[in-house]
Amino acid sequence: MKDDEPFLLDDPDRLKALAHPMRRRMLTHLNIHGPATSTTLGELLGAKTGTTSYHLRQLEKYGFIEEIPERSTGRERWWRRADTPRDMRLPTPDQLAPEDRAVLMEFHRIGLEEDRALLERFPAAYRADPDWAKGSRGVARMTKQELNDFHNEYVALLLRYSRPADEAPPDARPLYVRFFTLPADED
């Protein structure tokens, strides 16, 4: 699969692996800060090593992270984010069996909690350095097809400007980028 081709995350078990707050925080940490051990992640997340080890194994089982064998010694295992498709898309509810739709809703719920926390940090980040904190809000009128095209072009633009840490210039920083749309009430 090409890196820029959309990958539909429609396997309920893989989706369930990502629908857990601690696992998502682990993935975020590995993505932003690079490799870590279960002990390191446990200290950062306030969890016991056994708990973090379990969640790391779940993420490994579904291909989201991988062990770094050359860095691991004895009981100390180092983990990094796996080389997964960069354009992962979620299924629509009708693409999942009825009994699997709850995990999709949980995935969205946890993601929105993360997004709310980021939005609360925005004013302070903007005051600290407005060159690194950007925002945009608007209303647009589009057909479903135009919205689909707009979304695809947005993802392509994000992929074009985003690169892995080892390929980024020295002055690059990891940034949280969010995009969502929803119908406006027409009163």
Side-chain angles (χ1 to χ4, degrees), residues 56-70:
L56 287 166
R57 286 191 305 274
Q58 291 300 305
L59 291 169
E60 178 190 35
K61 178 180 178 180
Y62 294 104
F64 297 109
I65 66 169
E66 60 189 9
E67 184 180 357
I68 308 171
E70 63 274 10

Side-chain angles (χ1 to χ4, degrees), residues 36-100:
T37 66
S38 176
T39 302
T40 305
L41 289 168
E43 290 169 359
L44 290 168
L45 302 175
K48 294 182 180 184
T49 303
T51 301
T52 54
S53 292
Y54 169 78
H55 290 297
L56 287 166
R57 286 191 305 274
Q58 291 300 305
L59 291 169
E60 178 190 35
K61 178 180 178 180
Y62 294 104
F64 297 109
I65 66 169
E66 60 189 9
E67 184 180 357
I68 308 171
E70 63 274 10
R71 204 164 166 188
S72 298
T73 57
R75 292 173 47 114
E76 183 180 71
R77 296 173 74 186
W78 282 84
W79 300 94
R80 66 181 162 219
R81 187 101 191 224
D83 187 21
T84 56
R86 292 174 58 209
D87 185 1
M88 274 199 234
R89 308 275 177 113
L90 293 174
T92 57
D94 64 327
Q95 291 174 303
L96 294 173
E99 63 272 15
D100 295 325

Side-chain angles (χ1 to χ4, degrees), residues 99-162:
E99 63 272 15
D100 295 325
R101 293 176 186 162
V103 74
L104 178 62
M105 295 304 107
E106 181 64 6
F107 182 92
H108 284 302
R109 187 191 68 73
I110 292 168
L112 287 173
E113 283 180 12
E114 293 168 352
D115 293 345
R116 268 190 227 107
L118 290 174
L119 280 172
E120 288 174 6
R121 289 173 43 192
F122 181 81
Y126 186 78
R127 276 191 307 275
D129 193 345
D131 290 334
W132 283 104
K134 303 289 183 193
S136 172
R137 296 172 37 212
V139 176
R141 291 193 188 282
M142 298 180 203
T143 64
K144 283 184 182 181
Q145 183 58 53
E146 289 169 334
L147 176 58
N148 188 52
D149 294 344
F150 180 83
H151 179 251
N152 288 332
E153 288 182 37
Y154 162 79
V155 171
L157 184 65
L158 183 61
L159 293 175
R160 187 172 102 209
Y161 282 95
S162 179

Side-chain angles (χ1 to χ4, degrees), residues 18-28 107 110-111 114:
L18 292 178
H20 191 283
M22 182 172 286
R23 292 180 198 150
R24 290 170 70 111
R25 289 176 28 218
M26 291 173 155
L27 280 172
T28 298
F107 182 92
I110 292 168
E114 293 168 352

